[in-house]
Amino acid sequence: MTIEVREISFRYGERTTLRGVSLEVRQGEVMGLLGPNGAGKSTLLKCIAGLLRPAEGTVHIGGREVTRIRPLERARLIGYVPQGSPDGFPFTVFETVLLGRIPHMGFSPGEEDLKAAAEAISLLELQEFAARRITELSGGERQRVLLAQALARGPEVLLLDEPTANLDLRGQLESLALMSEVARERGIATVVVLHDVNLAARFSHRLAILDRGRIFAAGEPRTVLTPTTVREVYHVNAVAGEALGAHYLVPISPA
Amino acid sequence: MLQGTLRNPLASPFTLGISGGAAFGAALAIILGAGFSGTGRYLVIMNAFTFALLAAALVYGLSAVRGITAEAMVLAGVAMNFLFMALTSLLQYFGGAEEVKAVVFWLMGSLHTASWGRLIPVAVVSFVSLPLLLRRAWDLNALATGDEAARSLGTAVERVRVECMLLAVLLTASVICFTGIIGFVSLLAPHIARLIVGPDHRFLLPASAITGALVLLGADSLARTVVAPIELPVGIVTSFLGIPLFVYLLLRSKQVYWRGG
């Protein structure tokens, strides 16, 4: 399914956080969302997830306006992983992943639900943790559990808000590689909010940079991540380069 | 159930102001001369029930002003409980000696007025609400992962919270309006049950109900026998037993069995 965001604006009380944002993410494509703190990245993600209703403009998923899709059906279509880790009662890893099947099941999880949860767990290599409580895991492991939960839904759209925030170097690479592989194989339209511009460049087909609620630039990583853009948006001096076929950017100093 | 909806390990009818409201209602009826005998007894019951609902409505109203988040509800509930406790004290200050004695006795909570006849309304409310609660078991499970995540799983977070609170109020009010305030069972039972059956609300809700009943029965037996032939109010026993047991449970569990809420 395709995500189409058309000219959306959003306000939190007096503060406008999104102004006329448009973007399109095709089936199987990964769109990296960049921008400084407070640029509106999480708000945009929540609008796409149908959790916030934009003041103006529309979000269409597979041609249907997202706020018009019934919550349970929306939950089946969209895997949304919010920032931070879950608090609350200590479910085991398996149970937490199984929660992702809520939109599919009745009072008891069926054969298919258990299978989907088990599959998601092995996909993220969480087997050895399956019976542990999530409260006993490290931040990074918990992050992977949440990604597994989102994938267990069997979503057409995947929305990830800083999925690498608590991960170490290897964990970041593993999670994002898995994300782009799954997106391609299953044809999932994916939007991922990241802070690390190089990880974003490496694992996204296209990037969009948000600045104070507007899309400042969007397109292929090498055209978007230029020293000029980075100076304008992040107020940081940087040099860009090319290595092993990948575009990279080294931040040097605050501008 | 309340602990689940509010994602707070200390949530109980006390933190939601329900108990305080009921106490004030009962005190008001007693001080105004309804007494414990004849039709007056029913007035006390009705009044306790009504004020419990009123307190809950106020908590709901207060928290609705800023969106029904778990934190808002707990804070509003604690505030309400203090308000009604102060009002109850005020009533006692102005009440006559006999009435005050009756109020104090009511506040301690006791099963000695329990009878099969009185059990019927309580049982009816319980049998109606348990299936309604179980219908929400998965929503409560989803809430464990946070409001936003639950919403994205298709849970109507606000509605579930209000629905569960309504049921909790009904259940609590229907019990304590007959018995008076019996503390700590509601706080303790879910924790014991969680240690036994785990955090899945499909099993946790019925298990909590059963645990609660057993704890109360045990406490009541003790209350009747410890200094026999005098029968202690069971509310005192549950608090005496409950608090050390509660502290023990918290200290004993080595795993982090709760992460902030």
Side-chain angles (χ1 to χ4, degrees):
Chain A
M1 284 186 181
T2 314
I3 305 171
E4 291 160 276
V5 179
R6 291 184 204 139
E7 289 291 319
I8 63 167
S9 298
F10 189 85
R11 289 177 200 94
Y12 277 119
E14 295 288 290
R15 231 179 86 226
T16 306
T17 47
L18 292 177
R19 312 159 201 258
V21 170
S22 297
L23 53 87
E24 203 181 302
V25 186
R26 288 182 298 272
Q27 198 171 328
E29 186 184 31
V30 177
M31 162 79 81
L33 208 50
L34 294 171
N37 293 330
K41 303 184 295 289
S42 297
T43 309
L44 176 55
L45 216 56
K46 283 177 198 171
C47 285
I48 300 175
L51 300 176
L52 294 177
R53 191 185 292 268
E56 288 147 37
T58 54
V59 175
H60 284 79
I61 297 219
R64 296 158 71 196
E65 205 196 319
V66 72
T67 50
R68 297 244 174 95
I69 305 176
R70 293 184 49 231
L72 268 189
E73 197 190 340
R74 200 163 65 208
R76 281 193 285 263
L77 292 177
I78 304 173
Y80 166 67
V81 181
Q83 240 177 83
S85 47
D87 47 20
F89 294 94
F91 283 98
T92 64
V93 167
F94 189 81
E95 286 168 332
T96 310
V97 174
L98 195 57
L99 288 180
R101 297 296 296 178
I102 288 180
H104 295 270
M105 64 188 167
F107 187 66
S108 287
E111 199 67 28
E112 211 176 306
D113 301 313
L114 297 175
K115 222 181 95 198
E119 245 176 53
I121 281 178
S122 59
L123 205 56
L124 280 143
E125 290 170 10
L126 287 163
Q127 294 97 324
E128 56 173 316
F129 304 115
R132 295 255 292 275
R133 297 185 186 285
I134 50 165
T135 40
E136 297 167 23
L137 302 186
S138 72
E141 287 156 356
R142 228 175 289 158
Q143 210 100 41
R144 267 155 65 204
V145 173
L146 290 187
L147 188 54
Q149 191 196 69
L151 288 177
R153 300 183 200 189
E156 306 264 357
V157 167
L158 196 55
L159 306 171
L160 308 172
D161 203 341
E162 292 189 34
T164 55
N166 292 310
L167 298 179
D168 58 23
L169 214 47
R170 188 188 163 89
Q172 294 178 1
L173 290 172
E174 279 175 352
S175 275
L176 291 179
L178 182 90
M179 172 201 74
S180 61
E181 193 187 309
V182 170
R184 198 186 54 237
E185 274 174 15
R186 304 188 184 178
I188 303 174
T190 305
V191 181
V192 54
V193 172
L194 289 170
H195 267 305
D196 187 319
V197 292
N198 289 313
L199 280 176
R202 170 91 191 275
F203 291 103
S204 315
H205 298 104
R206 284 188 301 146
L207 293 177
I209 300 192
L210 272 178
D211 183 33
R212 283 162 292 170
R214 290 178 211 278
I215 301 253
F216 185 89
E220 280 190 33
R222 71 191 70 221
T223 61
V224 171
L225 272 187
T226 61
T228 325
T229 313
V230 172
R231 188 161 47 242
E232 291 266 334
V233 176
Y234 286 98
H235 307 290
V236 162
N237 295 315
V239 290
E242 199 85 26
L244 306 170
H247 179 79
Y248 72 85
L249 192 108
V250 183
I252 305 294
S253 63
Chain B
M1 152 188 58
L2 285 173
Q3 295 177 357
T5 10
L6 299 179
R7 248 183 293 129
N8 189 316
L10 291 177
S12 81
F14 286 82
T15 33
L16 275 188
I18 304 170
S19 311
F24 175 71
L28 191 66
I30 295 168
I31 302 278
L32 290 182
F36 263 131
S37 54
T39 52
R41 211 163 49 201
Y42 295 102
L43 209 66
V44 174
I45 293 170
M46 285 306 298
N47 227 26
F49 189 74
T50 315
F51 274 90
L53 293 190
L54 184 74
L58 279 172
V59 169
Y60 172 70
L62 275 178
S63 54
V65 175
R66 300 240 22 178
I68 309 167
T69 63
E71 293 81 6
M73 260 180 144
V74 171
L75 288 177
V78 171
M80 272 308 118
N81 220 23
F82 275 112
L83 173 66
F84 279 110
M85 263 156 55
L87 285 173
T88 309
S89 303
L90 193 69
L91 279 179
Q92 290 180 347
Y93 187 72
F94 287 114
E98 272 308 300
E99 286 91 29
V100 170
K101 202 177 150 200
V103 172
V104 169
F105 192 73
W106 193 90
L107 288 181
M108 287 171 184
S110 158
L111 291 181
H112 91 278
T113 53
S115 67
W116 290 109
R118 291 180 164 201
L119 195 61
I120 293 170
V122 178
V124 169
V125 174
S126 306
F127 277 112
V128 172
S129 21
L130 195 61
L132 285 175
L133 279 176
L134 282 176
R135 207 169 65 89
R136 289 300 186 194
W138 279 108
D139 289 321
L140 290 174
N141 287 344
L143 272 173
T145 58
D147 281 13
E148 284 291 311
R151 205 166 286 137
S152 87
L153 282 169
T155 298
V157 173
E158 274 85 13
R159 218 178 89 198
V160 170
R161 202 159 271 152
V162 170
E163 207 177 288
C164 287
M165 175 165 157
L166 259 178
L167 287 169
V169 170
L170 263 180
L171 274 169
T172 317
S174 70
V175 173
I176 64 177
C177 70
F178 290 110
T179 60
I181 310 278
I182 299 178
F184 250 92
V185 175
S186 52
L187 188 57
L188 187 62
H191 283 279
I192 299 176
R194 198 172 296 117
L195 284 177
I196 300 170
V197 301
D200 185 341
H201 285 84
R202 284 182 302 158
F203 310 115
L204 182 57
L205 291 173
S208 298
I210 294 167
T211 317
L214 288 177
V215 168
L216 187 56
L217 264 180
D220 190 47
S221 307
L222 260 178
R224 283 166 200 269
T225 50
V226 152
V227 280
I230 302 169
E231 185 191 332
L232 288 174
V234 71
I236 296 179
V237 178
T238 53
S239 295
F240 263 128
L241 285 181
I243 292 165
L245 192 55
F246 187 62
V247 172
Y248 167 74
L249 285 178
L250 283 179
L251 295 181
R252 200 207 56 156
S253 53
K254 287 202 185 67
Q255 40 165 318
V256 189
Y257 103 113
W258 185 276
R259 284 184 61 86

